[in-house]
Structure formats: C-alpha cells, structure tokens
Amino acid sequence: MGLLDLLGLGSKSESIQDFVNKGAVIIDVRTVGEFRDGHIKGSKNIPLDNINGKLAEIKKLDKPVIVCCRSGMRSAQAASLLKSVGIEVINGGGWQSLEGKL
C-alpha cells in the first residue's frame, strides 16, 4: 500500500459510481463558510474538526459514505478516520471535481 492509498487518493477498488449506486451519503468536510459558498446538492456538511464527535451519527446512517472537501486532503483524513471505525467510505476528493463525476 502506497502513500496515495493511505491518503485515499490511490487506485480505488470501488469507484465513486459504485458508491452512488449503493445509495452513499456525501459528506463535505469543509468549514461551514466554505460549504455555504457552494456545495453538492444533497450533501451533508460535517467539518473535519467536528467529524470525531459525529462518528456515531454517521454510523447510524448505515450507508456507504463519500467524503469531499476543497482539494482532497481533508477528505483523505476524514476517510481514514471513518474507515478506522468500520464505515464503508471512499475519498471523493475536491467537491467540484466530485460533482462532475456524479
């Protein structure tokens, strides 16, 4: 496993579309202000700084998760954390790029 895989940016065994087809929830981990300035319709805003306190809530959704941010770095951190607690997650990268893939 390479560094990019650890960051959630390497080759993905499942694609964004696979997650969408499984009814994934999109979580945008940018700040509230960044989210307010533009986001993917229907996405939930849980800033990276708050995600630790929302793990139980995210697990209760009982759905796969696609995380995104501005560039993909914060969402990589979020994906790693969510994966560590058993949540099926993929790093969608930057929200604008992700929006184009949906």
Side-chain angles (χ1 to χ4, degrees), residues 20-94:
V20 170
N21 293 341
K22 291 193 273 185
V25 174
I26 299 171
I27 297 177
D28 189 321
V29 298
R30 295 176 299 149
T31 66
V32 172
E34 287 175 298
F35 186 79
R36 197 177 304 128
D37 288 343
H39 58 272
I40 295 170
K41 185 177 180 184
S43 62
K44 298 181 181 296
N45 181 221
I46 304 176
L48 182 60
D49 290 347
N50 302 340
I51 208 156
N52 243 341
K54 300 284 187 176
L55 293 175
E57 182 181 319
I58 295 167
K59 277 188 136 178
K60 274 190 209 174
L61 295 172
D62 199 30
K63 293 185 177 200
V65 173
I66 301 170
V67 286
C68 64
C69 62
R70 186 178 58 78
S71 68
M73 295 308 292
R74 286 177 282 182
S75 56
Q77 292 175 45
S80 179
L81 175 63
L82 295 174
K83 199 172 285 186
S84 76
V85 296
I87 295 170
E88 184 180 5
V89 62
I90 192 168
N91 180 3

